[in-house]
Amino acid sequence: MVTAQPSRRSVLSGSVATVVGAVAGFLAARRSGAAKSHPAGAAANAYGAAASGPGRVLLPVGEVPAGGGRILDADGVVVTREVSGTVHAFSTTCTHQGCTVNSVSAGTINCPCHGSRFDLRTGAPVGGPAARPLTAVPVVVRAGQVVEG
Ligand code: FES
């Protein structure tokens, strides 16, 4: 039985194409990581700040008002801070019908669509039609930054 052997030239050109593709993918990943608005120097891995999930730097804790919060639309996260200083974070997706919450005031995270309000400490619904809490996002404060944990 005779099998066709690949020529040396075809093996080499296939290897070159593989290396070029890998380099292009690496550069694209680096570029997309650099486009994020995370603070410089907050790299979570070799490619820069994590795009999502554990290690993602959200914002400096000093930018979250005590007894209030900050909505990070690009990250899909609302970060809140108790008067005592304890920081929490939740998904910005309202559990009623999926609108995006748009404010934090008077101790609640508020949805503009049908008026649901959620406790800024627990995410539990305290007013309006939503029956389920906002999805918690685990966070820690590390070196003055709120970071997904
Ligand atoms: S979608 Fe938020 S209150 Fe209806």
Side-chain angles (χ1 to χ4, degrees), residues 93-101 110-118 127-130:
T93 302
C94 179
T95 57
H96 177 230
Q97 290 184 356
C99 287
T100 300
V101 298
N110 309 305
C111 180
C113 291
H114 312 99
S116 287
R117 294 179 295 114
F118 303 88

Side-chain angles (χ1 to χ4, degrees), residues 58-100:
L58 296 173
L59 78 170
V61 69
E63 293 184 10
V64 185
R70 287 278 311 274
I71 294 173
L72 307 175
D73 287 322
D75 295 306
V77 175
V78 53
V79 179
T80 63
R81 187 174 173 194
E82 295 182 37
V83 173
S84 66
T86 302
V87 173
H88 308 276
F90 306 93
S91 165
T92 56
T93 302
C94 179
T95 57
H96 177 230
Q97 290 184 356
C99 287
T100 300

Side-chain angles (χ1 to χ4, degrees), residues 2-149:
V2 177
T3 57
Q5 294 290 322
S7 71
R8 185 175 174 178
R9 178 172 296 205
S10 69
V11 170
L12 282 175
S13 67
S15 298
V16 169
T18 300
V19 169
V20 168
V23 169
F26 173 79
L27 293 174
R30 282 189 59 109
R31 193 171 301 122
S32 67
K36 292 282 184 187
S37 61
H38 299 295
N45 57 43
Y47 301 104
S52 63
R56 175 170 62 159
V57 176
L58 296 173
L59 78 170
V61 69
E63 293 184 10
V64 185
R70 287 278 311 274
I71 294 173
L72 307 175
D73 287 322
D75 295 306
V77 175
V78 53
V79 179
T80 63
R81 187 174 173 194
E82 295 182 37
V83 173
S84 66
T86 302
V87 173
H88 308 276
F90 306 93
S91 165
T92 56
T93 302
C94 179
T95 57
H96 177 230
Q97 290 184 356
C99 287
T100 300
V101 298
N102 73 345
S103 68
V104 181
S105 62
T108 61
I109 303 162
N110 309 305
C111 180
C113 291
H114 312 99
S116 287
R117 294 179 295 114
F118 303 88
D119 187 296
L120 72 75
R121 296 166 298 153
T122 64
V126 295
R132 292 176 291 120
L134 294 174
T135 301
V137 175
V139 291
V140 295
V141 176
R142 186 179 304 140
Q145 302 286 327
V146 179
V147 179
E148 278 194 51

